[in-house]
Protein backbone atom coordinates (compact mmCIF):
# COMPACT_ATOMS: atom_id res chain seq x y z
CA UNK A 1 0.00 0.00 0.00
CA UNK A 2 1.37 3.41 -0.94
CA UNK A 3 1.59 5.76 2.00
CA UNK A 4 3.53 8.65 0.49
CA UNK A 5 2.69 12.28 1.18
CA UNK A 6 0.83 12.53 -2.10
CA UNK A 7 -1.42 9.58 -1.31
CA UNK A 8 -4.46 9.66 1.00
CA UNK A 9 -3.44 6.34 2.56
CA UNK A 10 -0.75 7.87 4.75
CA UNK A 11 -3.16 10.52 6.02
CA UNK A 12 -5.86 7.97 6.81
CA UNK A 13 -3.70 5.69 8.95
CA UNK A 14 -2.19 8.43 11.12
CA UNK A 15 -3.70 9.04 14.57
CA UNK A 16 -6.87 11.06 14.89
CA UNK A 17 -7.00 13.95 17.32
CA UNK A 18 -9.22 14.33 20.36
CA UNK A 19 -11.91 16.48 18.70
CA UNK A 20 -12.62 13.79 16.11
CA UNK A 21 -13.08 11.16 18.82
CA UNK A 22 -15.33 13.52 20.77
CA UNK A 23 -17.53 13.99 17.71
CA UNK A 24 -17.75 10.22 17.22
CA UNK A 25 -18.74 9.70 20.87
CA UNK A 26 -21.48 12.31 20.59
CA UNK A 27 -22.80 10.84 17.34
CA UNK A 28 -22.97 7.26 18.65
CA UNK A 29 -24.49 8.34 21.94
CA UNK A 30 -27.12 10.45 20.19
CA UNK A 31 -27.99 7.54 17.89
CA UNK A 32 -28.45 5.12 20.78
CA UNK A 33 -30.39 7.58 22.95
CA UNK A 34 -32.70 8.52 20.09
CA UNK A 35 -33.41 4.86 19.38
CA UNK A 36 -34.19 4.28 23.04
CA UNK A 37 -36.66 7.15 23.06
CA UNK A 38 -38.60 6.20 19.93
CA UNK A 39 -38.62 2.40 20.09
CA UNK A 40 -40.26 0.40 22.88
CA UNK A 41 -38.82 -2.90 24.12
CA UNK A 42 -35.47 -2.35 22.42
CA UNK A 43 -36.71 -2.24 18.83
CA UNK A 44 -39.38 -4.01 16.79
CA UNK A 45 -37.16 -6.81 15.48
CA UNK A 46 -35.55 -7.57 18.82
CA UNK A 47 -39.02 -7.59 20.35
CA UNK A 48 -40.00 -10.42 17.98
CA UNK A 49 -37.20 -12.63 19.31
CA UNK A 50 -37.87 -11.67 22.93
CA UNK A 51 -41.59 -12.35 22.47
CA UNK A 52 -40.74 -15.79 21.07
CA UNK A 53 -38.58 -16.50 24.11
CA UNK A 54 -41.37 -15.41 26.45
CA UNK A 55 -43.80 -17.64 24.59
CA UNK A 56 -41.42 -20.56 25.05
CA UNK A 57 -40.94 -19.81 28.76
CA UNK A 58 -44.73 -19.82 29.08
CA UNK A 59 -44.91 -23.28 27.50
CA UNK A 60 -45.83 -22.30 23.95
CA UNK A 61 -44.07 -22.63 20.62
CA UNK A 62 -41.95 -19.67 19.48
CA UNK A 63 -42.82 -20.55 15.89
CA UNK A 64 -46.45 -19.58 16.44
CA UNK A 65 -45.25 -16.15 15.33
CA UNK A 66 -44.60 -16.34 11.56
CA UNK A 67 -42.15 -13.42 11.82
CA UNK A 68 -39.81 -15.38 14.10
CA UNK A 69 -37.29 -16.50 11.48
CA UNK A 70 -34.50 -17.84 13.68
CA UNK A 71 -33.16 -21.25 14.65
CA UNK A 72 -34.27 -22.78 17.97
CA UNK A 73 -30.91 -21.88 19.55
CA UNK A 74 -31.82 -18.20 19.22
CA UNK A 75 -34.75 -18.75 21.60
CA UNK A 76 -32.41 -19.79 24.37
CA UNK A 77 -30.09 -16.90 23.60
CA UNK A 78 -33.01 -14.47 23.92
CA UNK A 79 -34.30 -15.98 27.16
CA UNK A 80 -32.25 -13.64 29.41
CA UNK A 81 -33.82 -10.65 27.67
CA UNK A 82 -37.26 -12.15 28.22
CA UNK A 83 -36.70 -11.86 31.96
CA UNK A 84 -35.90 -8.14 31.81
CA UNK A 85 -38.54 -5.38 31.96
CA UNK A 86 -39.29 -3.41 28.82
CA UNK A 87 -37.86 -0.20 30.29
CA UNK A 88 -34.46 -1.85 30.67
CA UNK A 89 -34.51 -3.31 27.17
CA UNK A 90 -35.46 0.07 25.76
CA UNK A 91 -32.12 1.45 26.97
CA UNK A 92 -29.94 -1.65 26.84
CA UNK A 93 -30.62 -2.91 23.31
CA UNK A 94 -29.80 0.27 21.31
CA UNK A 95 -26.60 0.70 23.34
CA UNK A 96 -25.63 -2.93 22.76
CA UNK A 97 -26.32 -2.73 19.01
CA UNK A 98 -24.28 0.48 18.71
CA UNK A 99 -21.39 -1.06 20.65
CA UNK A 100 -21.45 -4.20 18.49
CA UNK A 101 -21.42 -2.14 15.29
CA UNK A 102 -18.38 -0.28 16.63
CA UNK A 103 -16.76 -3.64 17.39
CA UNK A 104 -17.52 -4.85 13.86
CA UNK A 105 -15.81 -1.76 12.46
CA UNK A 106 -12.80 -2.35 14.71
CA UNK A 107 -12.48 -5.95 13.47
CA UNK A 108 -12.72 -4.79 9.85
CA UNK A 109 -9.94 -2.27 10.48
CA UNK A 110 -7.67 -4.84 12.11
CA UNK A 111 -8.27 -7.23 9.22
CA UNK A 112 -6.84 -4.51 6.98
CA UNK A 113 -4.05 -3.76 9.50
CA UNK A 114 -5.32 -0.24 10.04
CA UNK A 115 -4.55 1.21 13.51
CA UNK A 116 -7.58 1.60 15.75
CA UNK A 117 -6.47 5.14 16.68
CA UNK A 118 -6.27 6.19 13.04
CA UNK A 119 -8.24 8.87 11.26
CA UNK A 120 -9.96 6.19 9.19
CA UNK A 121 -11.10 4.49 12.40
CA UNK A 122 -12.89 7.55 13.71
CA UNK A 123 -14.02 9.11 10.42
CA UNK A 124 -15.21 5.81 8.96
CA UNK A 125 -17.45 4.96 11.91
CA UNK A 126 -18.72 8.53 12.11
CA UNK A 127 -19.53 8.41 8.41
CA UNK A 128 -21.42 5.14 8.77
CA UNK A 129 -23.46 6.47 11.69
CA UNK A 130 -24.24 9.85 10.11
CA UNK A 131 -24.23 9.17 6.38
CA UNK A 132 -25.52 5.61 5.97
CA UNK A 133 -29.23 5.25 6.77
CA UNK A 134 -29.22 1.47 7.45
CA UNK A 135 -26.92 2.10 10.44
CA UNK A 136 -29.66 4.05 12.21
CA UNK A 137 -32.31 1.59 11.04
CA UNK A 138 -30.42 -1.31 12.61
CA UNK A 139 -29.97 0.52 15.91
CA UNK A 140 -33.67 1.40 16.07
CA UNK A 141 -34.86 -2.07 15.07
CA UNK A 142 -32.48 -3.91 17.38
CA UNK A 143 -32.21 -6.59 14.70
CA UNK A 144 -29.92 -9.53 15.38
CA UNK A 145 -28.24 -8.88 12.04
CA UNK A 146 -25.73 -7.07 14.23
CA UNK A 147 -24.36 -10.42 15.39
CA UNK A 148 -23.51 -11.29 11.78
CA UNK A 149 -22.04 -7.82 11.24
CA UNK A 150 -19.55 -8.55 14.05
CA UNK A 151 -18.94 -12.22 13.32
CA UNK A 152 -17.96 -11.83 9.66
CA UNK A 153 -15.01 -9.42 10.07
CA UNK A 154 -13.94 -11.24 13.24
CA UNK A 155 -13.89 -14.61 11.48
CA UNK A 156 -12.04 -13.19 8.48
CA UNK A 157 -9.52 -11.57 10.83
CA UNK A 158 -8.91 -14.95 12.49
CA UNK A 159 -8.66 -16.70 9.12
CA UNK A 160 -6.18 -14.12 7.81
CA UNK A 161 -3.97 -14.97 10.78
CA UNK A 162 -4.16 -18.69 10.08
CA UNK A 163 -6.71 -19.50 12.79
CA UNK A 164 -9.23 -21.12 10.48
CA UNK A 165 -10.89 -23.42 13.01
CA UNK A 166 -11.55 -20.48 15.32
CA UNK A 167 -12.99 -18.62 12.33
CA UNK A 168 -15.33 -21.54 11.68
CA UNK A 169 -16.44 -21.53 15.32
CA UNK A 170 -17.27 -17.83 15.12
CA UNK A 171 -19.33 -18.33 11.97
CA UNK A 172 -21.08 -21.32 13.54
CA UNK A 173 -21.98 -19.34 16.66
CA UNK A 174 -23.33 -16.49 14.53
CA UNK A 175 -25.44 -18.86 12.43
CA UNK A 176 -26.83 -20.38 15.62
CA UNK A 177 -28.12 -16.91 16.53
CA UNK A 178 -29.23 -15.96 13.01
CA UNK A 179 -28.57 -18.02 9.82
CA UNK A 180 -27.46 -14.95 7.85
CA UNK A 181 -23.78 -15.97 7.51
CA UNK A 182 -24.44 -19.47 6.16
CA UNK A 183 -23.03 -18.51 2.70
CA UNK A 184 -19.58 -17.97 4.26
CA UNK A 185 -19.11 -21.73 4.47
CA UNK A 186 -18.27 -21.43 0.77
CA UNK A 187 -15.14 -19.51 1.73
CA UNK A 188 -13.99 -22.50 3.78
CA UNK A 189 -14.65 -24.66 0.73
CA UNK A 190 -12.64 -22.30 -1.49
CA UNK A 191 -9.73 -22.47 0.96
CA UNK A 192 -10.02 -26.22 1.57
CA UNK A 193 -10.30 -25.68 5.34
CA UNK A 194 -12.36 -28.69 6.31
CA UNK A 195 -12.07 -28.30 10.08
CA UNK A 196 -13.34 -24.76 9.83
CA UNK A 197 -16.17 -25.94 7.61
CA UNK A 198 -17.08 -28.67 10.08
CA UNK A 199 -17.07 -26.19 12.95
CA UNK A 200 -19.27 -23.74 11.05
CA UNK A 201 -21.81 -26.48 10.34
CA UNK A 202 -21.72 -28.49 13.55
CA UNK A 203 -21.98 -25.63 16.05
CA UNK A 204 -25.40 -24.36 14.88
CA UNK A 205 -26.60 -27.89 14.12
CA UNK A 206 -25.81 -29.16 17.61
CA UNK A 207 -26.98 -26.00 19.36
CA UNK A 208 -30.26 -25.91 17.45
CA UNK A 209 -30.81 -29.64 17.81
CA UNK A 210 -30.38 -29.46 21.56
CA UNK A 211 -32.59 -26.37 21.81
CA UNK A 212 -35.29 -27.95 19.62
CA UNK A 213 -35.64 -30.81 22.09
CA UNK A 214 -36.78 -28.23 24.63
CA UNK A 215 -39.48 -26.84 22.33
CA UNK A 216 -43.08 -28.05 22.22
CA UNK A 217 -42.74 -28.00 18.43
CA UNK A 218 -39.20 -29.31 17.74
CA UNK A 219 -39.59 -29.24 13.96
CA UNK A 220 -41.22 -25.79 13.87
CA UNK A 221 -38.34 -24.18 11.99
CA UNK A 222 -38.69 -26.68 9.14
CA UNK A 223 -42.49 -26.93 9.10
CA UNK A 224 -43.31 -23.24 9.54
CA UNK A 225 -40.34 -20.90 9.14
CA UNK A 226 -38.62 -22.54 6.17
CA UNK A 227 -41.76 -22.58 3.99
CA UNK A 228 -42.34 -18.94 4.90
CA UNK A 229 -38.79 -18.03 3.84
CA UNK A 230 -39.01 -20.02 0.61
CA UNK A 231 -42.32 -18.55 -0.50
CA UNK A 232 -41.96 -15.04 0.88
CA UNK A 233 -45.73 -14.68 0.93
CA UNK A 234 -45.97 -12.01 3.62
CA UNK A 235 -47.32 -8.84 2.03
CA UNK A 236 -45.95 -6.55 4.74
CA UNK A 237 -42.45 -8.03 4.66
CA UNK A 238 -42.31 -7.98 0.86
CA UNK A 239 -42.59 -4.18 0.81
CA UNK A 240 -39.22 -3.85 2.57
CA UNK A 241 -37.25 -6.56 0.77
CA UNK A 242 -34.32 -5.31 -1.30
CA UNK A 243 -33.51 -8.37 -3.40
CA UNK A 244 -34.30 -8.18 -7.14
CA UNK A 245 -36.59 -11.17 -6.68
CA UNK A 246 -38.84 -8.98 -4.52
CA UNK A 247 -38.36 -5.57 -6.16
CA UNK A 248 -38.68 -6.46 -9.85
CA UNK A 249 -42.25 -7.84 -9.56
CA UNK A 250 -43.27 -4.48 -8.09
CA UNK A 251 -42.13 -2.96 -11.40
CA UNK A 252 -44.23 -5.37 -13.46
CA UNK A 253 -41.65 -8.11 -14.09
CA UNK A 254 -43.17 -11.61 -13.85
CA UNK A 255 -42.27 -13.28 -10.57
CA UNK A 256 -40.66 -16.34 -12.15
CA UNK A 257 -38.48 -14.18 -14.38
CA UNK A 258 -37.47 -11.96 -11.47
CA UNK A 259 -36.52 -14.99 -9.40
CA UNK A 260 -34.54 -16.43 -12.29
CA UNK A 261 -32.63 -13.17 -12.78
CA UNK A 262 -31.85 -13.00 -9.07
CA UNK A 263 -30.58 -16.57 -9.02
CA UNK A 264 -28.42 -15.92 -12.09
CA UNK A 265 -26.98 -12.76 -10.51
CA UNK A 266 -26.26 -14.58 -7.27
CA UNK A 267 -24.58 -17.43 -9.14
CA UNK A 268 -22.42 -14.96 -11.05
CA UNK A 269 -21.50 -13.28 -7.78
CA UNK A 270 -20.41 -16.57 -6.21
CA UNK A 271 -18.36 -17.36 -9.32
CA UNK A 272 -16.65 -13.96 -9.08
CA UNK A 273 -15.98 -14.48 -5.37
CA UNK A 274 -14.34 -17.80 -6.18
CA UNK A 275 -12.31 -16.11 -8.91
CA UNK A 276 -11.32 -13.35 -6.48
CA UNK A 277 -10.07 -15.90 -3.99
CA UNK A 278 -8.03 -17.78 -6.58
CA UNK A 279 -6.47 -14.80 -8.35
CA UNK A 280 -5.29 -12.80 -5.36
CA UNK A 281 -2.30 -13.05 -3.06
CA UNK A 282 -2.56 -13.50 0.71
CA UNK A 283 -3.27 -9.85 1.50
CA UNK A 284 -6.27 -8.64 3.55
CA UNK A 285 -8.28 -7.50 0.53
CA UNK A 286 -8.55 -11.11 -0.57
CA UNK A 287 -10.44 -12.09 2.57
CA UNK A 288 -12.56 -8.96 2.77
CA UNK A 289 -13.66 -8.86 -0.85
CA UNK A 290 -14.29 -12.59 -1.11
CA UNK A 291 -16.36 -12.58 2.08
CA UNK A 292 -18.27 -9.46 1.06
CA UNK A 293 -18.85 -10.86 -2.42
CA UNK A 294 -20.35 -14.06 -1.05
CA UNK A 295 -22.70 -12.20 1.28
CA UNK A 296 -23.84 -9.66 -1.31
CA UNK A 297 -24.50 -12.51 -3.75
CA UNK A 298 -26.67 -14.21 -1.15
CA UNK A 299 -28.59 -11.00 -0.48
CA UNK A 300 -29.41 -10.75 -4.19
CA UNK A 301 -31.50 -13.90 -4.01
CA UNK A 302 -32.42 -14.37 -0.34
CA UNK A 303 -35.93 -13.78 0.94
CA UNK A 304 -36.13 -11.64 2.96
CA UNK A 305 -33.28 -9.24 2.24
CA UNK A 306 -33.33 -5.93 4.11
CA UNK A 307 -31.32 -2.72 3.94
CA UNK A 308 -29.52 -3.34 7.25
CA UNK A 309 -28.05 -6.57 5.82
CA UNK A 310 -25.66 -4.25 3.95
CA UNK A 311 -23.87 -3.56 7.24
CA UNK A 312 -22.55 -7.12 7.13
CA UNK A 313 -20.47 -6.36 4.03
CA UNK A 314 -20.00 -2.59 3.88
CA UNK A 315 -17.54 -2.12 6.79
CA UNK A 316 -15.28 -4.78 5.29
CA UNK A 317 -15.10 -2.86 2.02
CA UNK A 318 -14.82 0.60 3.55
CA UNK A 319 -11.96 -0.42 5.84
CA UNK A 320 -9.91 -1.29 2.75
CA UNK A 321 -9.89 2.36 1.64
CA UNK A 322 -6.16 2.87 2.34
CA UNK A 323 -5.26 0.16 -0.20
CA UNK A 324 -4.76 1.10 -3.83
CA UNK A 325 -7.06 -0.99 -6.02
CA UNK A 326 -9.60 -1.73 -3.29
CA UNK A 327 -13.33 -1.65 -3.99
CA UNK A 328 -13.66 1.44 -1.81
CA UNK A 329 -11.29 3.30 -4.15
CA UNK A 330 -13.70 2.83 -7.06
CA UNK A 331 -16.39 5.28 -8.10
CA UNK A 332 -19.15 2.66 -8.16
CA UNK A 333 -18.68 1.95 -4.46
CA UNK A 334 -19.58 5.53 -3.61
CA UNK A 335 -22.31 5.76 -6.23
CA UNK A 336 -23.98 2.78 -4.60
CA UNK A 337 -24.13 4.60 -1.26
CA UNK A 338 -25.78 7.79 -2.53
CA UNK A 339 -29.40 6.56 -2.09
CA UNK A 340 -28.61 5.74 1.55
CA UNK A 341 -27.73 9.29 2.58
CA UNK A 342 -30.21 10.20 5.37
CA UNK A 343 -32.48 13.11 4.58
CA UNK A 344 -31.99 12.90 0.83
CA UNK A 345 -35.49 12.66 -0.71
CA UNK A 346 -35.95 11.01 -4.09
CA UNK A 347 -38.96 11.76 -6.34
CA UNK A 348 -41.58 9.00 -6.30
CA UNK A 349 -39.64 7.19 -3.57
CA UNK A 350 -40.70 9.39 -0.64
CA UNK A 351 -42.88 6.69 0.89
CA UNK A 352 -41.24 4.42 3.44
CA UNK A 353 -42.80 1.48 1.62
CA UNK A 354 -40.84 2.38 -1.53
CA UNK A 355 -37.50 2.48 0.24
CA UNK A 356 -36.79 -1.01 -1.08
CA UNK A 357 -36.10 0.43 -4.55
CA UNK A 358 -33.23 2.52 -3.16
CA UNK A 359 -31.98 -0.44 -1.14
CA UNK A 360 -32.06 -2.68 -4.22
CA UNK A 361 -30.01 -0.14 -6.18
CA UNK A 362 -27.37 -0.02 -3.42
CA UNK A 363 -27.27 -3.81 -3.12
CA UNK A 364 -26.96 -4.45 -6.86
CA UNK A 365 -24.34 -1.76 -7.50
CA UNK A 366 -22.25 -2.83 -4.50
CA UNK A 367 -22.39 -6.45 -5.67
CA UNK A 368 -21.31 -5.34 -9.14
CA UNK A 369 -18.45 -3.26 -7.75
CA UNK A 370 -17.15 -6.23 -5.75
CA UNK A 371 -17.59 -8.62 -8.68
CA UNK A 372 -15.53 -6.35 -10.93
CA UNK A 373 -12.60 -6.76 -8.57
CA UNK A 374 -12.46 -10.44 -9.48
CA UNK A 375 -11.02 -9.49 -12.85
CA UNK A 376 -8.49 -7.02 -11.44
CA UNK A 377 -4.82 -7.72 -11.99
CA UNK A 378 -2.65 -9.09 -9.23
CA UNK A 379 -0.59 -5.92 -9.14
CA UNK A 380 -2.93 -4.18 -6.70
CA UNK A 381 -0.76 -3.12 -3.82
CA UNK A 382 -3.24 -4.29 -1.21
CA UNK A 383 -2.82 -7.91 -2.27
CA UNK A 384 0.88 -8.24 -1.57
CA UNK A 385 1.65 -10.25 1.52
CA UNK A 386 3.85 -7.62 3.07
CA UNK A 387 1.68 -4.63 2.27
CA UNK A 388 0.06 -2.83 5.11
CA UNK A 389 -0.64 0.59 6.53
CA UNK A 390 2.31 2.69 7.52
CA UNK A 391 3.37 2.53 11.19
CA UNK A 392 1.37 4.82 13.39
CA UNK A 393 3.24 8.02 14.15
CA UNK A 394 3.83 9.24 17.65
CA UNK A 395 0.81 10.74 19.40
CA UNK A 396 2.43 14.17 19.40
CA UNK A 397 2.31 14.20 15.61
CA UNK A 398 -1.44 13.71 15.49
CA UNK A 399 -3.45 16.43 13.82
CA UNK A 400 -6.83 17.56 15.19
CA UNK A 401 -8.57 15.39 12.55
Amino acid sequence: MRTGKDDISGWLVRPAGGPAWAVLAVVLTASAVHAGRVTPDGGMDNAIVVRAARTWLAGGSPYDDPHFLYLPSAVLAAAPQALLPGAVLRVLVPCAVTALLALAWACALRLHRVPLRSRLAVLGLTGLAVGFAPFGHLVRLGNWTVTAAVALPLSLLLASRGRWTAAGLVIGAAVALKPLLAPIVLLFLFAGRWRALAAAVLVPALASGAAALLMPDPAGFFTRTLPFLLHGDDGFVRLYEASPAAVLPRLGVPGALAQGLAVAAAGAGVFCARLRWRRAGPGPLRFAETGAGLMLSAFLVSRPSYDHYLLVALPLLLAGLPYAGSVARGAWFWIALVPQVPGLTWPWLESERRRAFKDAFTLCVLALAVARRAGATRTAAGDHAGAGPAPEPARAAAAPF
Side-chain angles (χ1 to χ4, degrees):
M1 182 183 73
R2 300 185 184 91
T3 55
K5 293 182 179 180
D6 59 341
D7 191 273
I8 193 175
S9 303
W11 187 87
L12 285 172
V13 300
R14 296 190 184 102
W21 286 106
V23 169
L24 174 61
V26 170
V27 166
L28 295 182
T29 301
S31 176
V33 171
H34 172 71
R37 293 186 62 201
V38 301
T39 56
D41 298 329
M44 179 179 69
D45 291 355
N46 183 70
I48 292 174
V49 189
V50 173
R51 186 165 59 246
R54 288 173 177 160
T55 300
W56 171 66
L57 290 173
S61 172
Y63 294 102
D64 288 341
D65 184 352
H67 292 118
F68 179 70
L69 307 178
Y70 299 77
L71 294 170
S73 49
V75 178
L76 271 64
Q81 284 195 69
L83 303 176
L84 297 175
V88 174
L89 293 178
R90 186 171 187 168
V91 176
L92 180 63
V93 173
C95 292
V97 172
T98 302
L100 288 174
L101 286 172
L103 177 60
W105 176 239
C107 291
L109 290 171
R110 295 313 301 147
L111 170 63
H112 291 284
R113 307 164 190 163
V114 175
L116 295 181
R117 295 190 301 128
S118 65
R119 292 184 177 107
L120 179 58
V122 62
L123 295 178
L125 187 54
T126 303
L128 286 172
V130 173
F132 190 62
F135 187 102
H137 297 164
L138 184 55
V139 174
R140 289 192 294 273
L141 291 171
N143 193 282
W144 284 29
T145 295
V146 71
T147 59
V150 175
L152 182 56
L154 176 58
S155 65
L156 294 178
L157 174 61
L158 292 170
S160 70
R161 297 181 176 181
R163 301 175 61 185
W164 284 93
T165 302
L169 290 172
V170 170
I171 294 297
V175 171
L177 295 176
K178 183 170 183 174
L180 197 62
L181 292 185
I184 292 298
V185 299
L186 292 175
L187 176 60
F188 301 139
L189 286 175
F190 294 167
R193 301 290 178 166
W194 309 115
R195 289 184 180 179
L197 176 62
V201 173
L202 289 177
V203 167
L206 294 176
S208 295
L213 296 177
L214 303 175
M215 307 288 165
D217 183 11
F221 180 82
F222 297 99
T223 59
R224 302 189 190 186
T225 301
L226 205 54
F228 177 87
L229 290 173
L230 293 175
H231 293 92
D233 54 1
D234 188 295
F236 174 78
V237 169
R238 191 182 304 115
L239 293 173
Y240 297 93
E241 292 186 22
S243 69
V247 170
L248 290 178
R250 296 177 65 180
L251 297 174
V253 178
L257 177 59
Q259 185 67 34
L261 291 173
V263 170
V270 172
F271 174 79
C272 289
R274 169 62 170 161
L275 199 60
R276 179 71 182 90
W277 180 259
R278 294 184 62 183
R279 287 189 176 181
L285 291 184
R286 182 191 193 195
F287 288 89
E289 292 172 0
T290 302
L294 287 173
M295 293 310 304
L296 291 171
S297 299
F299 299 156
L300 287 173
V301 74
S302 65
R303 305 288 303 273
S305 182
Y306 302 126
D307 67 330
H308 52 77
Y309 286 8
L310 296 169
L311 283 164
V312 175
L314 184 62
L316 286 171
L317 302 175
L318 182 60
L321 185 60
Y323 290 90
S326 66
V327 171
R329 290 284 188 101
W332 287 108
F333 174 83
W334 299 101
I335 291 172
L337 303 185
V338 171
Q340 302 302 331
V341 176
L344 183 60
T345 303
W346 295 86
W348 299 287
L349 299 179
E350 297 92 345
S351 170
E352 186 72 10
R353 294 188 172 189
R354 292 187 175 182
R355 191 185 71 207
F357 294 105
K358 298 186 293 184
D359 301 335
F361 175 86
T362 299
L363 171 60
C364 293
V365 175
L366 267 184
L368 179 62
V370 175
R372 289 179 70 248
R373 268 289 291 165
T377 63
R378 301 178 65 176
T379 59
D383 283 336
H384 293 302
E392 185 177 337
R395 183 181 297 272
F401 290 96

